[in-house]
Amino acid sequence: MSSLLGVSALLRLPPSVRARAYAAAATPALDPSSTATLPPPWRPANVLDEWVSREARPISLRQLTFFGRTLTEDRLISSANYVRLELPTRIAHRLRNMQTLPYSAVTNQHISHVYELYYNAFERFRKVPEIRSLEDNDRFCDVIKMTLNEHLSVIPRLAMGILEIQGSVSGEECDRFMTTLLRSRISRRVIAEQHLALTETFHSPWHFPNAKKLPSAEDDFVGEIFLKCNAKELIEKCANTARQLCSQAYGPDVAIPEIVVQGHLDTTFPYIPSHLEYILGELIRNSIQAMIEQRGFKQPPPIEVLICEAAQHVIIRISDQGGGIDRQVLPYLWSFAKGPRRNHRLRNLGQVPRLAATMEDIKPLPQEIDRSGGPSGDKFGNSLASLSGRPPDLKLGMGLPMSKIYAEYWAGTLEIHSLEGYGCDAFLQISRLGNRNEVVSTRAAMDAV
């Protein structure tokens, strides 16, 4: 009977019945090859109910920019209290989503690991008292940094869990669950890292009134938001990184395609550079690898990138001649859970214990922050750009679906058109005004259990 229950339902059973269910669940965990573990420990559900009853409050890039542009002590403390309440609210909704999974899915060792991390973070944040001073804020920032670092294992463990629970949860439901959790995770990291960056700015020597400083790229940053993201510069930066990685992986004798950037080359817009670097890095990497694997040692034609600036959007098209996408893979292009390479993806994910997305465990990357073009290292436990630093043969099967989530997060879009036997065109559309709210799941799938 317990295998048919969700965790929340199980936790409401009488203690004697719950004890028998826990004992039954413990049996398969004795098998070292089993992916099942004991369910998360019992906790009172009414604590979570209180936070699930609250709505998340979505924000836009423009709001974040306006709020942080003129930074005062009162505004910093106000930001801290917004984050203090928003983080446990958003985590509570995702915990409730996990509680609605079948019992056999939540006892998967990877899903259970993520659940425990989320619940510990929820408990930690909900107990933070109101922020009233700069000293209170500094202590709160230490809590945020510690939590961001602890959660580096969430993405790979979640991805492995989704691949392993296919027997009890449909692929479609797994994809919805994964998309909801990742979108919410992005939203939490955005507001947390933005507050950390504002705190860092406030404590900077040049922030004080009448402080003398030379003009620099720092002036164009409001927290983590770069007001003058230049599409051409970001594309070239990602292209150089991807070409270097592929050259190292395939050897000096393999010809690496050039990247030709055309169109509106002076286009700038407000954005979080690490988000855009991640998307562009994945798309360009895929194009380079496809062309190398199709053409081998022959000199390939260039990959063409076109920047198109419209009144409200910037559209970036990446065109390659890498032969298109395998017909077996094409139907599952945006899926985390479905597709023909499940076992291969599981093996590769097992090599990535921590992912922010960050790949410092696989390929050491510079730790400095390059403010001229966005983060190049690991800041606040998060460097999306470094995800592109993994070896080309370490295919995780989540680069494109994650890129789509990042593109849609600020109300953009990502589409890929495959021309079988010829190549692919990827279209990335970005809202250039920054006035669209984050796209985040604001309610749990089931508000009360």
Side-chain angles (χ1 to χ4, degrees), residues 155 185 278 355-359 382-387 402 406:
I155 294 178
R185 185 177 189 273
Y278 173 72
L355 180 61
T358 179
M359 283 292 178
N382 184 22
S383 176
L384 291 171
S386 63
L387 177 56
M402 275 190 66
Y406 273 103

Side-chain angles (χ1 to χ4, degrees), residues 306-319:
L306 178 66
I307 303 169
C308 178
E309 180 181 10
Q312 298 186 359
H313 304 285
V314 174
I315 301 171
I316 300 173
R317 185 189 71 189
I318 300 174
S319 303

Side-chain angles (χ1 to χ4, degrees), residues 152 189 193 274-275 356-358 375 377-384 406:
L152 291 175
R189 294 190 80 95
E193 290 171 4
S274 58
H275 288 194
T358 179
D378 188 26
K379 187 176 185 185
F380 309 136
N382 184 22
S383 176
L384 291 171
Y406 273 103

